[in-house]
Amino acid sequence: MKKSIFLFFTFSVYSLLVGCLSACSGDFLDESPKGQISPDQMATEENIEKMIISAYQLLNGQMDNSSNAMNSPASNWSFGDVVSDDAYKGGGGTGDQAQIHRMELYQTDPTIVDVERKWSVLYEGIHRVNSALRLLNQVKDMEQTSKERRQGELFFLRGHYYFELKRLYNQIPYIDETVVEIDAFYVSNVVYGSEELWEKIALDFERASERLPVVQKEVGRPTETAALAYAAKVRLYQGKWNEVLQLSQRVLDSSFDLYEDFEGLFLPENDNNKEILFAVQHAINDGSFKNYNGSVGDRLAAPGGPFYPQYGFHRPSQNLVNAYKTDARGLPLGGNIDLTEEDYVDPRLDHTIGRPGIPYRDLGVVYQASWARDEATYGPYAPKKRIVSAKSPYYSKTWPYVSSLNYYVIRYAEVLLWRAEALVEVGDFTQAQALVNKIRNRAKNSSYVKKIAEAAFAANYKIEPYSQPWKTLDEAKNAVRLESRLELALEGERFFNLVRWEIAAEVINTQYLPKEKKKRNFLTNAYFQEGKNEYFPIPQRYIDGAGPIKIVQNPNY
């Protein structure tokens, strides 16, 4: 059950406080002028708490009391799924959110609003973290343990915001709490090399782990284990396999574990369960402006039909559907062969994707292709994994139609997959296979979708762990990578994994687009340019605003 959820303010406390600091008075007296707050007055535990909450606020991509978090979503559905082989943009044709259509064709440019907005949200988060750290260092009457804990939270948040920036834009400006002068907020993005940036991000998570408690009183605040897990993810992106193994082992030694049921994992009443190491906390009906504390970044994913608005974005690809086919042994079939009604399938398919003829949530109806907005363009499928039942009290039936389902930034299954990947790289196929099998066994022992008012399963579900040892590096790598795709589908991770595996161009141009173009005409001109499309461009507004400061655009933009 959702209990004491840690909520975000729907206004910028930082802006409020800075507004107070910059207020003017006509008289210069010994006492503090009316309407002005001195630094000593600011440096209180109460004000620190407000500024820290303001730093958390940016986690859900919502920056300005509008519904535009859909262009800077915490879930990265457009940045991590739509530009991969897992999903299409969807919506009412290619002109609906046309800039995202250009992104899925790999025709992104530095002026696209999503590119600019995501950058702005993440740097605003960093700005608030740095401001809070500076003020926190000035507080004199705060208990030391509490002060260190809040420092740990801020280091964690900054690490998160920079991690997102690094994997999205690669060569980024780095600003920490020592930067005070306004002019210094425009800095070159080539001061630090790629590895130096990763090390700075890793250092924030290391600092966080040293200061954070094992358990937080308020859910939504990171723990020591969450910081260790995030540090492992940084090392994963660096390919530092031994460090991934050391850090992930500490997570495995913690109280976190796989949640027993795959479907239940994504029900809002089970948010913050034992699998979730860190999540963006969402809430509805909490008094926030237009429910903007809810999943506003994902509001366009509503699948239509008789229960939901027909926005129809974030549509699963045929390629993703086909990936869930299994053979008679219950193992992945491969080959990208179109799924038929008679085929065996991994049961996670119908918890992840809405398919015609399969019951949708607990609504008492089967999903139909006619639910799909613009089926002729984008096909018959809809997202399902993170769509909350329209009958749930955790779903808002009024605009902007959001839910209180959290967005899971890191869950335990991911850590198992990272560890399996590292084990493969160091040659330990046996332990890697055991971890993958643990995830597959969870799927096997989870609830399966059943036909309406019947005991029979809705499809031919069949999944088993690997029984034959992996013998080669390629076999082991491919198994771990495929399991990552099946387990994490539509969670915004696929594109980033393809890039860090250095197979994005091969997968997209060779395995995905040739067949998909025959089904989806809107992809006709899509082509992934190696050496360019692995990263998004530095926003043109930042380049233009930097004046004489040297900003280097990413290659080939």
Side-chain angles (χ1 to χ4, degrees), residues 256-269:
F256 290 91
D257 203 347
L258 291 179
Y259 189 76
E260 292 78 8
D261 183 71
F262 185 79
E263 180 184 30
L265 176 64
F266 297 96
L267 298 179
E269 52 265 37

Side-chain angles (χ1 to χ4, degrees), residues 50-66:
K50 291 177 181 178
M51 292 189 73
I52 293 174
I53 290 173
S54 180
Y56 276 97
Q57 180 193 9
L58 275 296
L59 284 172
N60 77 342
Q62 185 66 5
M63 186 171 64
D64 49 14
N65 275 344
S66 71

Side-chain angles (χ1 to χ4, degrees), residues 9 31 63 111 126 151 153 199 204 212 251 281 304 320 364 371 516 531 540 557:
F9 287 131
E31 65 185 72
M63 186 171 64
T111 66
I126 290 164
Q151 285 175 334
E153 291 175 29
E199 289 302 320
D204 267 347
L212 291 172
V251 177
Q281 302 293 310
L320 176 60
W371 289 26
E516 217 74 10
Q540 192 62 43
Y557 282 104

Side-chain angles (χ1 to χ4, degrees), residues 10 34 80 133 144 159 164 223 231 251 283 288 314 331 370 466 502 505 519 526 546:
T10 56
K34 294 180 181 179
L133 277 171
Q144 186 62 26
E164 287 287 273
T223 63
V251 177
S288 64
H314 199 195
L331 297 177
S370 61
Y466 290 92
E502 299 182 342
K519 300 175 182 296

Side-chain angles (χ1 to χ4, degrees), residues 123 125-134 137 154-155 158-159 162 173-181 184-185 187 192 197 200-201 203-204 207:
Y123 272 111
I126 290 164
H127 179 55
R128 295 184 189 187
V129 166
N130 288 338
S131 299
L133 277 171
R134 283 196 300 272
N137 290 334
L154 290 167
F155 287 134
R158 187 169 68 187
Y162 270 123
Y174 188 88
I175 305 166
D176 64 17
E177 72 275 18
T178 64
V179 176
V180 178
E181 299 296 329
F185 284 106
V187 299
Y192 301 105
L197 287 168
K200 285 183 172 294
I201 297 168
L203 179 59
D204 267 347
R207 291 168 172 168

Side-chain angles (χ1 to χ4, degrees), residues 318-337:
Q318 185 67 52
N319 186 283
L320 176 60
V321 171
N322 294 344
Y324 284 96
K325 288 182 67 170
T326 59
D327 60 20
R329 300 170 299 167
L331 297 177
L333 187 61
N336 192 24
I337 302 168

